[in-house]
Amino acid sequence: MKSDRKNRMDRRRFIKAGGAGLAGLTLLPQLSTAAWAQGAKNSQRRIFPLNHKWLYSEKNLPNGTGARFNDTGFARVTIPHTNRMLPWHGFDDKEYQFVSLYRRHFTMPAGLSGRRVFIDFGGVMTAATVTINGQKLGEYRGGYTPFSFELTPHLNRRRDNVLAVEVDSTERSDIPPFGGDIDYLTFGGIYREVSLRVVPATFIENVFANPRDVLSNNRNVNVRCYLDSKGVSTAQRKLMAELRDGARVIATQSLSVSSVSPHYDLLLTNLGAIDLWDVKNPRLYQVHVSLFEGDSLTDEYETRIGFREASFTPQGFFLNGKHLKLRGLNRHQTYPYVGQAMPARAQRRDAWILRKDFKCNIVRTSHYPQSSHFLDGCDEYGLLVLEEIPGWQHIGDAKWKDLSVNYVETMVRRDWNHPAVVMWGVRINESRDDHDFYVRTNQAARSLDDSRPTGGIRNRYESELLEDVFTMNDFRIPLRPPNHPLYLNTEFIGHMYPTKRNDNIERITEHTMRHARVHNQLASDKAYAGGIGWCAFDYNTHSNFCSSDRICYHGVADIFRIPKPAAGFYKSQCSPAEEVVLEPAFDWSRGDRDESFNVAMVCSNCDHLKIYIGDRLVADVDPDRKTFPNLDYPPFVTNIREGIRGPWGDLKLEGYLGGKLVITKMMSGRGADRQMLVEPDDLELIGDGIDATRIVLRVADEYGAVRPFANAAIALTVEGPGEIIGENPFSLFGGVGAVWLKTKEAAGIIRLTAKHPKLGSKTVELRVKGFRPGLV
């Protein structure tokens, strides 16, 4: 994880709401839990995270006023929160489709009179009707985009205030993505963070810091500032923008503000030497904006940026003037047990898995804007992003379209400072042509941000192209040649070849082979910018799409983010200077294969491979450049039929570079479960009642290779300030599985013990640091 200071960067990007049914709202993004917890000390802005002390009822009770609020029957919860805990598979989506009620009592801190107060929601699934002290503020429709309401005229300044949120988690046809079938589940609840924002009468509403001419010596940053003003002030106002590298100020510019304007531009120049943001070196800087009235500092705003030039050309994709073949995966942000309600650490972990474990250089946020924490991780780890609006094939009526256009605006304004984002997806995934509608969505994105291209994810080559880049879901092998000079394949494999971790060897190997074949073709022609496979992780879906248990087994990793062999192909395409990779695309057994199937596929960036069964050398091979001539690191594919027919034993794989042995992997031939592995992602957490980390459970052979048919129930016990998110006992699937460990609101040591019915017990310890909750 990156430093806490990076978590404290304030990314409040918001706009006046427009569109159907949105009058009176202000749209905001999700706020980082740690961001500006105490507010800017020198200005009038204060941000109070409001993620603790919530009350929750699955029954939508009537809201009263004053003393008539009755909290009997409510449970105390923290945010993010799912409206219903669920098994990881085999449940009915109707279980979470109901209207629930959240309440939060708070008292305004002293010394804040004369300021405006907003309540900011990062995401509520699917429609939120918000009241304060019994006064209805309005309904926000849409679960994937942020919003806020102004509370100022309705607050009790010196006594209890009651904020209530009625959450409708049904699949309403008036709200995108609903109205037709969709191949994913949305779940329910207040699943992203909530903050109370206190600002002066005139405040910095948004900042778009746009680096320009980054490859020249005249590189600069155009800082576009949006102000929100209420009331009349005769004081002279001034904006000041600074480019910072930590405590060092690189450039400063100021501007007097006297007239009313939609925005104000400040140009930061004379920057000197600047490190570029790149997938290998994701260098970040800060832009800090201050607002003064006379000589008094009244407001401050800070965001992060990166200097990079990303362009799609007829010769492919270029980052900072260098050709880069895009190789990535689609991601759903849903998790087992809690749906979308995972905190910042888990969201960032997904970015880490995709970039550092699977070695992808791009991800598509299919099929909706995803967590700001995930995008922060993409910025920090060097993972490019194609971000798109909510939807799946269906286009609704005029009001539905108005909401979608509004989602484009909200998405762009929330995320335009993320250097990782290189394209806006402004078309409903795989939808029919709708000229007028998509003229509007493209215009919405381009009018706000002319530095990034638009794309529109389609599944018909003959569809009308209104976007800048032709983005196409093509599941055929071989792919159709690109029909547009700017072309990116955005889905392949997926539903055409679902694969479980415990499928037979032929299917597991073929699943890996298909991903390799597509990327080999994409590498054959520079006209292909690259490809984004379907998909990263298995995910929950509706009954008409899944494998009868509400899971689409389309991922190169399972729903717990544990890799299948196909993930090894993606990992193997990195340079051995970054990591030497040796990943077999099979499990080691003699009989679990068709008699005619004798292929051993090994994904590796080595240049030579030796395979042993026991002490016998059964294969001595180079990469398969005949089948995969275009890949930088082709897989090894060899027939080991004769080797299998000989004496049985352990399998040993040896990888060589330049004639030197650099990596060895072993797989047992004994066919026995030898050990249980208990692996936490993190060993230190924050005791805020929110923070959580994944605990991976595996049953393996004596060398650590997963035993894919191990299915024992693992009993879990927890001592200390933590609790399990997940099923307990947990029955392994494909020899693996995971739960998440969530902290309580206390410091200490958590001891989690996993007990296998045959292999005994293992205990892991995690340190929990203390946490001081907010002031309200």
Side-chain angles (χ1 to χ4, degrees):
M1 292 297 165
K2 297 291 181 179
S3 67
D4 288 343
R5 186 185 184 284
K6 289 189 176 181
N7 291 340
R8 289 195 294 270
M9 297 302 175
D10 183 18
R11 274 170 286 284
R12 292 172 297 279
R13 308 176 183 110
F14 42 93
I15 62 172
K16 292 279 186 179
L22 299 176
L25 281 76
T26 303
L27 300 178
L28 279 94
Q30 153 185 6
L31 294 171
S32 172
T33 311
W36 287 54
Q38 303 301 323
K41 294 181 179 179
N42 299 318
S43 72
Q44 296 181 28
R45 180 183 292 258
R46 298 290 184 272
I47 304 296
F48 301 105
L50 216 63
N51 299 315
H52 296 83
K53 303 178 184 178
W54 282 85
L55 302 173
Y56 172 70
S57 172
E58 288 192 359
K59 297 180 179 179
N60 182 25
L61 305 173
N63 278 311
T65 58
R68 291 200 297 273
F69 282 105
N70 183 355
D71 296 331
T72 303
F74 281 69
R76 180 167 167 167
V77 299
T78 55
I79 306 298
H81 181 260
T82 182
N83 66 346
R84 177 74 59 83
M85 292 285 290
L86 296 163
W88 70 270
H89 68 158
F91 59 85
D92 190 335
D93 58 274
K94 298 299 183 184
E95 294 181 45
Y96 65 77
Q97 291 189 40
F98 56 87
V99 180
S100 59
L101 183 63
Y102 292 80
R103 285 182 185 156
R104 178 59 155 86
H105 293 256
F106 66 94
T107 303
M108 289 296 297
L112 300 178
S113 60
R115 304 186 200 180
R116 299 169 67 183
V117 181
F118 293 82
I119 187 71
D120 302 336
F121 294 91
V124 180
M125 191 60 70
T126 298
T129 300
V130 182
T131 65
I132 181 71
N133 299 324
Q135 176 68 42
K136 182 178 177 180
L137 302 177
E139 180 189 55
Y140 183 77
R141 302 197 298 276
Y144 293 107
T145 44
F147 62 95
S148 77
F149 288 97
E150 183 164 8
L151 307 181
T152 312
H154 311 293
L155 285 173
N156 300 316
R157 290 282 177 172
R158 291 184 175 84
R159 51 192 176 90
D160 184 49
N161 295 277
V162 182
L163 177 70
V165 187
E166 178 186 292
V167 178
D168 185 348
S169 300
T170 61
E171 297 187 355
R172 287 173 43 176
S173 61
D174 62 325
I175 302 175
F178 305 118
D181 288 336
I182 60 168
D183 177 24
Y184 54 93
L185 299 184
T186 54
F187 301 96
I190 303 179
Y191 75 99
R192 290 179 183 164
E193 290 86 354
V194 183
S195 290
L196 195 70
R197 175 169 47 100
V198 182
V199 291
T202 298
F203 65 92
I204 302 168
E205 183 187 54
N206 201 352
V207 169
F208 179 23
N210 183 14
R212 303 188 303 190
D213 299 325
V214 301
L215 302 184
S216 77
N217 292 328
N218 297 318
R219 64 183 64 89
N220 59 81
V221 183
N222 188 73
V223 182
R224 177 159 290 181
C225 303
Y226 296 80
L227 300 185
D228 186 300
S229 186
K230 196 170 187 177
V232 178
S233 173
T234 58
Q236 179 68 37
R237 296 193 181 99
K238 181 179 74 172
L239 283 166
M240 183 175 72
E242 295 177 328
L243 177 65
R244 297 178 176 180
D245 180 10
R248 181 172 70 96
V249 177
I250 298 172
T252 303
Q253 182 62 268
S254 59
L255 176 70
S256 295
V257 177
S258 56
S259 60
V260 178
S261 175
H263 54 75
Y264 304 89
D265 289 345
L266 294 87
L267 191 65
L268 297 173
T269 59
N270 301 318
L271 306 184
I274 291 290
D275 293 329
L276 298 179
W277 186 97
D278 186 82
V279 294
K280 295 181 179 179
N281 180 37
R283 186 71 157 83
L284 295 169
Y285 293 85
Q286 304 83 44
V287 170
H288 188 93
V289 179
S290 303
L291 176 64
F292 295 86
E293 290 202 9
D295 295 328
S296 298
L297 174 64
T298 58
D299 198 16
E300 293 178 285
Y301 186 108
E302 187 167 285
T303 188
R304 296 191 305 188
I305 65 169
F307 289 80
R308 59 106 181 103
E309 181 183 86
S311 55
F312 290 83
T313 78
Q315 289 73 45
F317 177 77
F318 286 78
L319 183 63
N320 301 329
K322 298 178 181 179
H323 182 263
L324 178 67
K325 185 67 73 171
L326 296 175
R327 183 182 64 254
L329 293 161
N330 287 265
R331 181 220 186 209
H332 273 302
Q333 70 173 11
T334 52
Y335 294 81
Y337 318 124
V338 298
Q340 306 190 78
M342 276 291 182
R345 186 185 301 274
Q347 300 287 347
R348 287 173 179 266
R349 173 61 62 174
D350 273 8
W352 176 274
I353 290 170
L354 287 163
R355 183 70 188 103
K356 302 297 186 179
D357 290 346
F358 298 172
K359 310 300 184 183
C360 295
N361 57 29
I362 190 169
V363 62
R364 173 180 165 219
T365 65
S366 50
H367 302 285
Y368 38 79
Q370 298 188 2
S371 164
S372 291
H373 301 301
F374 175 71
L375 296 182
D376 286 344
C378 295
D379 287 342
E380 293 164 10
Y381 307 142
L383 182 63
L384 301 170
V385 178
L386 189 173
E387 188 174 21
E388 66 182 346
I389 56 174
W392 201 83
Q393 297 187 347
H394 170 77
I395 299 175
D397 62 15
K399 291 183 178 180
W400 193 100
K401 294 176 186 178
D402 289 342
L403 284 172
S404 289
V405 174
N406 190 269
Y407 296 157
V408 173
E409 296 172 351
T410 311
M411 174 181 71
V412 172
R413 288 182 175 266
R414 188 192 74 161
D415 295 329
W416 52 17
N417 290 323
H418 285 283
V421 176
V422 293
M423 187 189 300
W424 302 119
V426 298
R427 183 182 176 114
I428 304 299
N429 175 69
E430 297 184 346
S431 60
R432 68 183 186 275
D433 286 344
D434 190 319
H435 178 84
D436 293 344
F437 176 37
Y438 288 133
V439 165
R440 292 176 63 199
T441 60
N442 276 276
Q443 177 59 27
R446 290 166 179 155
S447 65
L448 293 168
D449 176 15
D450 61 2
S451 70
R452 293 176 176 90
T454 60
I457 314 303
R458 67 200 72 234
N459 60 358
R460 299 176 183 87
Y461 275 98
E462 296 74 23
S463 62
E464 181 184 23
L465 179 64
L466 297 171
E467 299 77 32
D468 300 309
V469 181
F470 193 91
T471 47
M472 174 71 186
N473 294 347
D474 188 349
F475 289 87
R476 289 172 290 190
I477 302 177
L479 306 172
R480 179 171 166 175
N483 67 334
H484 188 273
L486 308 182
Y487 178 94
L488 176 66
N489 188 312
T490 43
E491 288 186 30
F492 50 86
I493 313 299
H495 70 279
M496 305 296 287
Y497 208 79
T499 303
K500 304 176 182 67
R501 185 61 188 84
N502 55 3
D503 279 335
N504 62 34
I505 291 175
E506 292 96 319
R507 191 169 192 89
I508 289 172
T509 299
E510 178 62 18
H511 185 227
T512 310
M513 194 78 75
R514 290 188 179 205
H515 280 274
R517 290 188 192 115
V518 172
H519 279 286
N520 178 68
Q521 182 176 349
L522 292 170
S524 70
D525 188 340
K526 286 188 175 181
Y528 294 114
I532 307 174
W534 189 264
C535 58
F537 314 123
D538 295 341
Y539 56 97
N540 297 119
T541 191
H542 293 89
S543 59
N544 54 327
F545 291 102
C546 66
S547 297
S548 80
D549 65 347
R550 297 309 178 95
I551 298 279
C552 272
Y553 293 95
H554 298 174
V556 303
D558 66 18
I559 197 170
F560 305 105
R561 281 64 175 157
I562 302 170
K564 305 173 192 176
F569 165 74
Y570 286 84
K571 185 175 184 178
S572 72
Q573 295 307 294
C574 74
S575 166
E578 179 180 352
E579 181 179 351
V580 177
V581 178
L582 187 65
E583 295 289 343
F586 55 88
D587 300 306
W588 185 232
S589 61
R590 171 179 269 163
D592 188 32
R593 64 182 70 224
D594 187 274
E595 178 65 23
S596 63
F597 184 83
N598 298 289
V599 171
M601 179 183 185
V602 178
C603 298
S604 178
N605 50 15
C606 293
D607 58 27
H608 193 73
L609 176 69
K610 293 183 180 181
I611 303 177
Y612 295 84
I613 300 177
D615 294 330
R616 294 183 299 118
L617 178 65
V618 299
D620 191 349
V621 293
D622 292 330
D624 186 0
R625 296 194 180 278
K626 181 178 180 180
T627 307
F628 305 102
N630 306 303
L631 292 175
D632 289 337
Y633 304 103
F636 294 84
V637 182
T638 186
N639 190 312
I640 57 172
R641 180 177 183 179
E642 294 304 319
I644 291 176
R645 286 181 172 179
W648 189 247
D650 295 347
L651 182 79
K652 180 167 69 172
L653 304 174
E654 291 183 345
Y656 292 80
L657 283 170
K660 181 181 178 181
L661 177 63
V662 292
I663 188 171
T664 300
K665 278 203 171 181
M666 300 287 295
M667 301 174 76
S668 177
R670 297 184 180 185
D673 300 343
R674 292 296 189 183
Q675 59 177 321
M676 175 181 61
L677 305 176
V678 182
E679 302 165 331
D681 284 340
D682 303 276
L683 294 176
E684 186 172 273
L685 301 174
I686 299 171
D688 58 0
I690 297 170
D691 200 11
T693 192
R694 181 182 59 158
I695 310 292
V696 175
L697 307 170
R698 309 176 197 259
V699 166
D701 65 18
E702 56 266 37
Y703 303 115
V706 168
R707 300 280 300 149
F709 299 106
N711 60 2
I714 309 298
L716 305 168
T717 57
V718 175
E719 301 175 23
E723 59 183 323
I724 293 169
I725 300 175
E727 299 171 18
N728 187 16
F730 180 88
S731 295
L732 298 174
F733 185 81
V736 299
V739 296
W740 275 257
L741 192 60
K742 179 181 177 182
T743 64
K744 296 181 180 178
E745 295 181 49
I749 300 294
I750 300 176
R751 294 178 179 86
L752 181 141
T753 299
K755 184 177 181 180
H756 186 280
K758 178 183 177 183
L759 300 175
S761 299
K762 285 197 174 178
T763 299
V764 294
E765 290 190 355
L766 292 84
R767 179 173 174 264
V768 181
K769 298 192 297 184
F771 172 79
R772 183 178 176 182
L775 303 179
V776 294

